[in-house]
Amino acid sequence: MRRASGLIHALFLPALLAAQDGRQVTDKALRDAGQTAGEWLTHGRDYAETRFSPLNSINAGNVKRLGLAWSFDMETTRGLEATPLVAEGVIYATGSWSVVYALDARTGEQRWRWDPEVDRAYGRRACCDVVNRGVALFDGKVFAGIIDGRLAALDAATGQPLWQVQTTDRSQPYTITGAPRVVKGKVIIGNGGAEYGVRGYVSAYEAATGKLAWRFYTVPGDPSKPFESPAMERAAKTWTGEWWKGGGGGTPWDSFAYDPAADLLYVGTGNGAPWDRNLRSPQGGDNLYLSSILALRPDSGELVWHYQTTPGDSWDYTAVQQMILADIEIGGKRRQVLMQAPKNGFFYVLDRRTGELLSADPFVKVTWATKVDMATGRPVETREARYEQGMQLLWPGPSGGHNWHSMSYHPRTGLVYIPAQEEPFPYLRDPNFTRRKEAWNLGIANAVLAIDEPPPGSPAFLLAWDPVARKERWRVPYKTIANGGTLATAGGLVFQGTADGRFIAYDAAKGEKLWEVSLGTGVMAAPITYQLGGRQYVSVLAGWGGAQSLVVGNNATGAYKAPGRLWTFTLDSGKPVVPVKGQQRPALTAIDGTPDPAQVKKGLEFYGANCAVCHGLAASSGGSIADLRYSAPSVLQDYRGIVLEGDYVKLGMPSFKGMLTAEEVDAIRAFVLSQRAKLLKASASRR
Ligand code: CA
């Protein structure tokens, strides 16, 4: 009854008020976004980030009749991760290189497009492709974070920039990939870069002017300088050594939520820099506020409470994964909770007013800790967790039991729909760690990336998790990791795209598959739904790329450089869905001579440290960025020019001048050629 009454409230009362008044996105509209049935005004649909829509025209009974309404070419073959927003009949989406699009939500016709013209050399600082997760709307403006650290305010009607600010120090390898949120007239924006070595923070800018209102650092800086806040002074007591020299990490690169009644802004923080705590804080310590959930005052940035999911992180266990706010009944009491399924594999339920831990249960295979001690709120680590005695294969790995791919919460089923995955990682310390400017500084031995066979994909599943019973209700297994985010609707549906290029609707209660189409390229982003002129639409971005290129090793669809599109579906459209096609890989011709084995071995190391993150482990492309084994003769002749002189920088290939020597580039080339020879041999034996 409890859940049903909440649903009726959401369905009927404010939806009627807000259906067609055509007003701008005001502070009140954002607070009421959960009840505004027809639109999708903020990243997680509402401040509670539930990704639950009260729309039910498309439902379990008729979803089989879904067809194509329209689709739009996103002008990229690289990763698409955005959640589009919809207001006043316009859909706003972002593509690669932080390009912003405004389209007619009914037809897909372009209203405007704004390209921030990012210097392509900046791509070297993108740990996980030049992706963007979407915009924020407020007061006639569209706010977008740019990969190079800018925050821009655009006129929602024309796309003209109204103001732009640089939110980061351009001499440091910061990036922005996350969507801003607007709370009480302030634009909230975080940053990324912990893999390279930066100090994380979240900033609030006045929406009207772009003036900085406040900034909250997530980790302490050099203690010989004044602390920026009392919170930093407390945090510094949990660090040892000279952590600030490596930045410390804690970058809040994705997740925020807001509770207007409690007036608390929730911020999820990232992993430590470098990963291995021994290199960051050699005498131990919890290293606040890494891998934490922070509750801040949105007016001042003052810290009210924190909960650290992974004290002394050594595994890239970020807590930037989505936080969902809900009111649920636990032990006979109605509790106002915050729920998160961070990378570390435990599903947390906290009292969102106080930060009190209510439950923490493993939702995937977890081997770094046996449980979370409810008395202390701390994980009980296993003996092998900190890989003190050599290489340790641990679950989850840095991809997490759940990553940025959005989950959703359905108030009627009471279930949280999590894109979950079980991929282990062989953690191994780097005994020779030296910090390199502008490079990944993990403190993890290169050996784990320097491999000459791509690893097989690990399994994943759509998990329906009951946060009250603290257990799984159902799951749908997949063959590939890194599947898309989820959307739950009052039509009794859960929508999700997959790494192998499908877009699927499930029955929200039972997990039964009700509808499926193939889009031709992997889906990572989360779907949305909206209604215009009495007609309900479902939209999702499909475009493979991102960190998956490294992790999965191979694109699950097999498509190579497939074009990304924004797809929109509606009932009885009569239009078929034609999946996109990838490009033909260039012909694989034999190369004269055999690369020197010693040079190949050396090249494998340098490839692992510098190239694998984009071009794929073992030189096997993830499908979105060039497969180097197929390089044309002109590329093979110009390796030094391309890698060191930036000959292909306009195509998105940054220069590695100052990071690699000419001899090291030659070694990388030798390794890639040896992988090409392997491929030639394999294709010859198949004939
Ligand atoms: Ca990370």
Side-chain angles (χ1 to χ4, degrees):
M1 257 337 277
R2 168 180 56 80
R3 285 170 187 155
S5 66
L7 186 72
I8 287 163
H9 176 78
L11 268 180
F12 296 108
L13 293 175
L16 290 177
L17 303 175
Q20 279 165 342
D21 55 2
R23 83 269 170 272
Q24 298 220 323
V25 182
T26 60
D27 187 61
K28 184 173 185 309
L30 285 173
R31 286 163 193 262
D32 295 340
Q35 287 83 45
T36 310
E39 300 185 309
W40 192 290
L41 299 180
T42 183
H43 189 66
R45 215 189 93 82
D46 44 41
Y47 274 146
E49 302 272 325
T50 60
R51 292 175 181 270
F52 169 76
S53 168
L55 294 177
N56 63 2
S57 300
I58 298 168
N59 54 54
N62 63 20
V63 69
K64 279 193 171 57
R65 289 162 29 206
L66 268 190
L68 182 69
W70 52 265
S71 81
F72 180 83
D73 180 0
M74 295 295 287
E75 306 175 296
T76 185
T77 57
R78 295 179 68 164
L80 294 173
E81 300 189 351
T83 297
L85 302 188
V86 176
E88 299 176 83
V90 179
I91 185 165
Y92 301 90
T94 54
S96 305
W97 299 105
S98 324
V99 178
V100 184
Y101 296 87
L103 316 175
D104 185 310
R106 214 179 295 235
T107 63
E109 192 186 328
Q110 183 175 302
R111 292 275 182 90
W112 53 258
R113 165 191 191 277
W114 181 67
D115 185 344
E117 294 174 358
V118 174
D119 176 355
R120 287 340 190 213
Y122 212 88
R124 197 173 74 190
R125 291 172 161 185
C127 78
C128 312
D129 209 348
V130 288
V131 294
N132 186 283
R133 296 192 199 85
V135 297
L137 302 175
F138 177 68
D139 195 24
K141 297 182 187 70
V142 178
F143 302 94
I146 313 299
I147 190 90
D148 61 16
R150 278 177 286 161
L151 177 68
L154 313 176
D155 184 319
T158 65
Q160 288 303 307
L162 300 171
W163 55 255
Q164 289 190 66
V165 289
Q166 183 67 37
T167 73
T168 56
D169 172 356
R170 284 283 292 246
S171 74
Q172 300 284 320
Y174 283 101
T175 46
I176 297 179
T177 56
R181 313 292 198 277
V182 176
V183 172
K184 298 172 89 175
K186 293 182 174 62
V187 190
I188 310 298
I189 190 74
N191 46 48
E195 270 58 55
Y196 296 77
V198 297
R199 183 184 180 202
Y201 56 86
V202 54
S203 310
Y205 291 87
E206 300 297 346
T209 60
K211 184 173 172 283
L212 181 67
W214 54 259
R215 174 164 291 171
F216 182 85
Y217 284 94
T218 58
V219 296
D222 182 347
S224 72
K225 294 177 184 159
F227 292 110
E228 292 88 354
S229 64
M232 283 304 97
E233 194 167 356
R234 290 194 295 274
K237 296 190 173 81
T238 66
W239 292 72
T240 58
E242 298 185 315
W243 72 85
W244 62 92
K245 291 189 171 167
T251 44
W253 51 265
D254 203 42
S255 181
F256 302 101
Y258 175 56
D259 179 346
D263 195 31
L264 290 174
L265 169 71
Y266 304 99
V267 178
T269 73
N271 57 280
W275 287 3
D276 183 354
R277 183 180 61 177
N278 286 301
L279 297 169
R280 188 175 71 230
S281 183
Q283 283 84 54
D286 286 352
N287 295 181
L288 291 172
Y289 301 94
L290 294 180
S291 307
S292 298
I293 295 164
L294 309 177
L296 306 181
R297 288 287 173 219
D299 291 329
S300 61
E302 179 201 349
L303 180 67
V304 177
W305 60 256
H306 76 274
Y307 177 78
Q308 189 173 41
T309 59
T310 310
D313 169 50
S314 271
W315 309 273
D316 190 20
Y317 287 164
T318 69
V320 302
Q321 283 59 47
Q322 182 191 351
M323 299 169 287
I324 291 180
L325 315 182
D327 295 354
I328 61 177
E329 206 170 296
I330 299 174
K333 268 206 226 156
R334 195 161 183 76
R335 303 294 303 245
Q336 298 182 319
V337 306
L338 178 154
M339 302 184 280
Q340 191 191 45
K343 276 189 182 178
N344 78 11
F346 288 94
F347 189 95
Y348 294 88
V349 181
L350 305 177
D351 182 310
R352 70 172 179 267
R353 291 189 168 246
T354 64
E356 179 198 352
L357 178 66
L358 301 177
S359 63
D361 301 280
F363 63 94
V364 288
K365 180 173 178 175
V366 172
T367 66
W368 72 279
T370 54
K371 62 171 185 176
V372 175
D373 182 330
M374 290 305 293
T376 61
R378 298 174 67 88
V380 179
E381 289 177 18
T382 55
R383 224 207 287 239
E384 59 271 26
R386 289 193 182 266
Y387 45 104
E388 310 265 356
Q389 317 294 333
M391 189 184 281
Q392 279 295 342
L393 192 68
L394 294 171
W395 279 262
S399 304
H402 168 225
N403 205 333
W404 62 268
H405 314 84
S406 316
M407 58 187 196
S408 55
Y409 171 69
H410 197 305
R412 182 155 51 92
T413 64
L415 299 176
V416 180
Y417 303 97
I418 310 170
Q421 50 196 18
E422 290 185 338
E423 190 181 57
F425 184 78
Y427 290 91
L428 175 65
R429 287 190 171 162
D430 183 356
N432 309 312
F433 176 70
T434 46
R435 195 162 287 122
R436 295 169 65 218
K437 201 170 157 34
E438 301 279 321
W440 274 31
N441 286 300
L442 308 184
I444 296 289
N446 221 358
V448 304
L449 295 179
I451 55 174
D452 61 4
E453 285 292 340
S458 298
F461 40 95
L462 169 59
L463 175 65
W465 182 264
D466 185 331
V468 176
R470 299 162 56 186
K471 62 179 189 185
E472 173 180 336
R473 288 295 181 198
W474 53 259
R475 72 167 65 190
V476 177
Y478 295 127
K479 289 193 177 73
T480 54
I481 70 156
N483 296 293
T486 69
L487 159 71
T489 76
L493 299 170
V494 174
F495 288 90
Q496 186 187 26
T498 63
D500 58 9
R502 294 173 294 152
F503 186 48
I504 306 171
Y506 296 100
D507 179 298
K510 296 177 194 144
E512 185 194 342
K513 185 160 76 181
L514 301 175
W515 173 79
E516 176 182 316
V517 282
S518 176
L519 302 179
T521 181
V523 182
M524 306 177 291
I528 64 158
T529 186
Y530 57 94
Q531 186 161 295
L532 276 168
R535 176 172 280 277
Q536 186 182 350
Y537 299 86
V538 177
S539 281
V540 69
L541 278 164
W544 191 240
Q548 288 64 236
S549 299
L550 166 75
V551 177
V552 182
N554 272 308
N555 182 351
T557 60
Y560 181 58
K561 294 192 180 182
R565 294 190 85 82
L566 176 57
W567 296 87
T568 297
F569 305 92
T570 193
L571 291 178
D572 304 320
S573 73
K575 272 196 241 173
V577 174
V578 181
V580 298
K581 279 202 175 66
Q583 296 172 17
Q584 194 76 27
R585 279 180 169 81
L588 198 61
T589 50
I591 302 294
D592 291 341
T594 313
D596 166 39
Q599 205 186 13
V600 168
K601 192 164 176 289
K602 187 176 157 198
L604 171 63
E605 290 278 325
F606 286 103
Y607 180 90
N610 297 280
C611 318
V613 56
C614 292
H615 290 284
L617 288 171
S620 169
S621 166
S624 58
I625 294 176
D627 191 320
L628 299 179
R629 299 170 301 177
Y630 291 83
S631 293
S634 58
V635 171
L636 293 170
Q637 277 156 23
D638 188 31
Y639 245 64
R640 288 185 181 187
I642 293 167
V643 180
L644 298 179
E645 306 305 326
D647 286 359
Y648 280 16
V649 76
K650 284 205 170 71
L651 300 173
M653 168 63 194
S655 156
F656 285 71
K657 196 170 199 153
M659 296 176 65
L660 291 167
T661 65
E663 289 68 34
E664 288 162 358
V665 173
D666 294 347
I668 289 169
R669 182 178 178 276
F671 166 67
V672 172
L673 285 178
S674 75
Q675 293 296 89
R676 178 182 182 126
K678 214 195 264 181
L679 202 60
L680 274 166
K681 205 169 154 187
S683 63
S685 71
R686 272 200 301 273
R687 270 187 222 117

